[in-house]
């Protein structure tokens, strides 16, 4: 019995959302979905997962602070 088209779309969207929640790279999700542009993938799915965006911001801040601390140590030495 074939899966109806709306159900297929829901499964596809759910799979992409779960992949992003598992921190799968956006480029990998794009390839799995067959999107020609990563912009389409980002526009469609990144807004669904604000916690992923929050985690990315937190990790970026951590790296910036670490680099600033290292630079401060090098300049003070």
């Amino acid at each position: 019995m074939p899966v109806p088209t709306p159900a297929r779309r829901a499964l596809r969207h759910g799979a992409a959302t779960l992949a992003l929640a598992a921190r799968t790279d956006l480029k990998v999700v794009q390839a799995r979905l067959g999107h020609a542009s990563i912009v389409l993938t980002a526009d469609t799915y990144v807004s669904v997962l604000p916690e992923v965006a929050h985690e990315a911001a937190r990790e970026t801040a951590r790296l910036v602070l670490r680099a600033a601390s290292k630079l401060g140590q090098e300049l003070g030495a």
Side-chain angles (χ1 to χ4, degrees):
M1 172 184 225
V3 178
T5 301
R8 254 189 232 147
R9 286 193 186 118
L11 289 170
R12 175 181 162 97
H13 183 71
T17 301
L18 290 172
L20 290 168
R23 293 181 174 66
T24 302
D25 187 80
L26 189 60
K27 191 72 177 167
V28 172
V29 175
Q30 174 205 356
R32 284 186 185 166
L33 295 172
H35 290 165
S37 167
I38 198 166
V39 174
L40 173 62
T41 310
D43 286 349
T44 304
Y45 295 100
V46 172
S47 63
V48 175
L49 298 166
E51 65 274 7
V52 171
H54 181 75
E55 177 61 29
R58 185 174 31 242
E59 181 64 14
T60 299
R62 186 185 71 75
L63 291 173
V64 167
L65 291 172
R66 190 165 119 199
S69 176
K70 183 178 178 181
L71 179 61
Q73 289 172 1
E74 289 173 1
L75 291 175

